[in-house]
Amino acid sequence: MQLDHRAQTLLKALVERYIADGQPVGSRALSKISGLDLSPATIRNIMADLEEMGYVASPHTSAGRIPTPRGYRIFVDTLLTVQQFDENAVEAGMRLPAHQPQKVIANAAQMLSSLSQFAGVVQSPRRESTFQQIEFLRLSEKRILLVIVDPRGDVQNRLLLTDVDYSPAQLTQSANYLNQHFAGLSFDEVRGRLTGELRQLRDDMGRLMQAAVEAGSEALAETDDMIIAGERNLLSVSDLSSNMSSLRQLFEMFEQKTGLMQLLDVSSKAGGVQIFIGGESKLVPMDEMSVVTAPYEVNGKIVGTLGVIGPTRMAYERVIPIVDITAKLLSNALSHS
């Protein structure tokens, strides 16, 4: 449902006041800060309509209202006025020698944290999921060790549990086939080419190769890493650390990283600044948390994502340009390294 000007103005005023002081906002306060010449009764009616539409909610302990995830969403999408931010404040912190990209990335995470006063996160540039060599080692009946060597010489191992007991000769034959035909390609490319060629191979051998491609792709994907700075800042945010359950969720997210990596992957595919709001996005593990992200590039190709992790009650108008500028400056720094 489209909101009229009065409803938009009141919702914007309510969200901004709630972000500023964290207290439910009443009709009397809204009449003072909104700038609208409306009677208290009219404001109450509009707020009741906003509550019915799911944009605000009334806590049991107060007559005032607070924004819901849906209210935050319409605020950041249509009502927000983004602040201007001094690029020099970010750029000065990322002036490091060109041959130290990891230090530049770590500095970007630290810069995001210090400027936002929340946690900063940078996903390291993704590795190409290519392999130089594959070997199969028979450990026992139906248990095979897959050994993957990437073009840089790094080694990844994966255990394959199979339905068939392959002989050493079969394992050597399969490894030779993959190495001769596909070495230097990504596992995605191998997957596509294998589909047509498997018809010419024995079913058992084909299944082994498919399992190797899937396991290899997962193994190299897991080498992606991220740098997180300023996690301790979130401990001082009462919205996120008010109870043990919230604290546990918070630390699980930082320890496991899987969900956060998934969110950053989704963000990199969307392009531009993205805002994930807890309670609305299933990718955010806590209702009280939001993540503001942006992808960054190296020589015109998106290679990772960075962002700020904080409470839903954050100053989005300030955090958005911090994330946007940092992504652009990191792209420039890494592209010229």
Side-chain angles (χ1 to χ4, degrees):
M1 186 182 296
Q2 195 73 24
L3 299 180
D4 62 25
H5 172 70
R6 297 187 309 177
Q8 287 184 358
T9 302
L10 287 174
L11 180 60
K12 184 173 187 287
L14 181 143
V15 175
E16 289 175 342
R17 170 57 68 91
Y18 183 69
I19 286 174
D21 61 23
Q23 299 299 317
V25 186
S27 300
R28 183 176 297 180
L30 282 173
S31 68
K32 293 178 181 178
I33 62 177
S34 66
L36 296 175
D37 186 18
L38 298 174
S39 69
T42 301
I43 290 179
R44 283 194 295 271
N45 288 338
I46 295 172
M47 296 309 296
D49 290 341
L50 288 172
E51 186 166 359
E52 189 175 334
M53 288 185 279
Y55 295 121
V56 299
S58 300
H60 297 301
T61 56
S62 170
R65 290 177 171 87
I66 63 174
T68 63
R70 191 177 180 194
Y72 277 121
R73 173 53 60 192
I74 195 171
F75 172 74
V76 299
D77 285 351
T78 63
L79 306 177
L80 185 66
T81 304
V82 175
Q83 290 182 358
Q84 292 294 316
F85 198 83
D86 183 10
E87 286 195 23
N88 295 328
V90 184
E91 190 171 18
M94 286 199 284
R95 286 178 181 160
L96 288 169
H99 61 278
Q100 297 180 314
Q102 277 305 113
K103 285 195 175 181
V104 177
I105 290 168
N107 243 45
Q110 190 61 52
M111 195 62 56
L112 288 165
S113 172
S114 61
L115 292 174
S116 68
Q117 291 300 298
F118 299 128
V121 59
V122 182
Q123 180 186 34
S124 296
R126 295 186 196 87
R127 291 185 182 183
E128 292 290 335
S129 61
T130 57
F131 71 92
Q132 198 62 40
Q133 186 177 352
I134 276 180
E135 298 295 337
F136 295 109
L137 299 177
R138 186 178 185 276
L139 299 178
S140 63
E141 185 179 340
K142 300 182 181 179
R143 292 174 74 248
I144 297 167
L145 184 67
L146 170 66
V147 182
I148 308 155
V149 183
D150 72 15
R152 300 193 303 186
D154 293 338
V155 178
Q156 293 284 325
N157 297 322
R158 277 294 180 276
L159 179 65
L160 300 181
L161 302 176
T162 64
D163 296 328
V164 178
D165 184 14
Y166 293 94
S167 68
Q170 288 176 310
L171 297 181
T172 300
Q173 182 183 349
S174 298
N176 288 343
Y177 185 90
L178 290 171
N179 292 329
Q180 288 168 12
H181 291 81
F182 304 121
L185 299 180
S186 73
F187 282 107
D188 285 340
E189 292 174 306
V190 177
R191 187 185 292 111
R193 296 193 187 189
L194 264 183
T195 302
E197 297 184 20
L198 285 179
R199 297 189 188 94
Q200 302 168 23
L201 301 169
R202 290 180 48 199
D203 287 345
D204 290 349
M205 306 288 278
R207 283 202 299 272
L208 175 62
M209 292 185 196
Q210 282 183 317
V213 169
E214 296 303 325
S217 182
E218 289 177 10
L220 293 187
E222 287 173 10
T223 61
D224 285 345
D225 201 5
M226 67 176 72
I227 296 172
I228 303 173
E231 304 100 305
R232 288 180 177 273
N233 289 342
L234 301 184
L235 294 177
S236 61
V237 178
S238 59
D239 297 18
L240 298 176
S241 60
S242 55
N243 57 61
M244 286 304 296
S245 176
S246 296
L247 275 177
R248 194 175 297 112
Q249 281 184 288
L250 195 59
F251 280 100
E252 281 178 359
M253 182 188 73
F254 288 128
E255 285 175 13
Q256 296 177 359
K257 294 186 179 181
T258 309
L260 196 52
M261 187 68 82
Q262 183 185 2
L263 185 151
L264 296 177
D265 282 337
V266 169
S267 173
S268 70
K269 295 182 178 77
V273 175
Q274 301 291 314
I275 302 169
F276 299 87
I277 297 172
E280 174 205 59
S281 172
K282 293 180 180 178
L283 292 171
V284 180
M286 297 172 62
D287 288 352
E288 303 83 4
M289 176 183 289
S290 286
V291 185
V292 181
T293 67
Y296 66 93
E297 304 174 346
V298 174
N299 299 320
K301 181 181 178 182
I302 291 175
V303 296
T305 310
L306 54 74
V308 165
I309 303 165
T312 52
R313 194 170 64 83
M314 73 165 72
Y316 294 97
E317 75 281 356
R318 187 170 177 276
V319 173
I320 288 170
I322 288 172
V323 170
D324 189 32
I325 290 168
T326 304
K328 290 172 182 172
L329 291 174
L330 182 58
S331 297
N332 289 337
L334 294 177
S335 295
H336 295 97
S337 61

